[in-house]
Amino acid sequence: MKTRIAMLAAAGALSILASPLAANAQVSVNINVPGLVMTAPPPPRYEPLPPPRGGFVWVPGRWIWDGRAYAWRAGGWQPERPGYVYAPGRWIEDRGGWRWTEGDWRREARREARREREWEEDRRHDRYERDHRHGHDRGDFCPPGQAKKGNC
């Protein structure tokens, strides 16, 4: 009987040692989104604007990401495109990181059309205000009792 109890105790001890005491698991996920930089770019450097150059547009310098750190790329001249305006590139926040959008050329006519549309809306608004005035600024309005007193 004593042998049997000793065998059961030994089997119990072995089963306890064979089972894992605690499971330690850690999962780390790092998703690399192309073009997305997790470190914010430094503020732009001051570059003195060179004197104008006929037929060219100055493109300001910018910070570029080389995969490990930011490096400054100086500005330069780009040939002018008739009828277009250059819109410089910029760093924008995106999905918890930063993404560079390249500068591009935009049609100048679109800007002129927008200005013309805004001007027309202002004229329409002024015309509406003139025709639908309320209160004492209307030429045909006289407050009650004021006409009898000769104030209107």
Side-chain angles (χ1 to χ4, degrees):
M1 182 85 155
K2 283 188 178 190
T3 315
R4 193 171 188 186
I5 292 176
M7 293 276 283
L8 282 175
L14 284 174
S15 67
I16 289 175
L17 290 174
S19 68
L21 296 177
N24 284 334
Q26 185 176 5
V27 177
S28 177
V29 178
N30 186 9
I31 300 172
N32 187 14
V33 179
L36 195 66
V37 180
M38 300 314 287
T39 308
R45 285 187 181 173
Y46 170 75
E47 284 186 320
L49 190 64
R53 198 169 149 191
F56 288 88
V57 174
W58 176 256
V59 176
R62 68 179 181 103
W63 289 106
I64 58 169
W65 179 254
D66 67 4
R68 294 183 315 265
Y70 284 98
W72 181 255
R73 179 181 290 165
W77 293 103
Q78 201 170 59
E80 188 176 52
R81 292 179 62 188
Y84 288 84
V85 176
Y86 184 75
R90 65 186 195 280
W91 284 99
I92 56 171
E93 266 189 282
D94 184 23
R95 294 183 246 165
W98 293 85
R99 181 182 306 277
W100 174 256
T101 54
E102 287 293 334
D104 63 342
W105 294 90
R106 297 188 181 147
R107 282 192 142 320
E108 196 170 30
R110 188 170 29 171
R111 178 182 286 177
E112 291 299 321
R114 187 179 70 214
R115 279 191 204 141
E116 184 69 29
R117 194 171 48 249
E118 288 170 356
W119 184 76
E120 193 60 42
E121 286 173 11
D122 286 346
R123 277 189 27 191
R124 220 176 302 127
H125 179 73
D126 291 345
R127 210 175 308 130
Y128 177 83
E129 287 292 316
R130 186 177 60 241
D131 295 343
H132 296 88
R133 290 186 211 155
H134 301 290
H136 299 289
D137 58 348
R138 255 178 54 194
D140 61 342
F141 179 78
C142 189
Q146 297 299 314
K148 290 180 184 175
K149 295 179 184 175
N151 294 337
C152 295

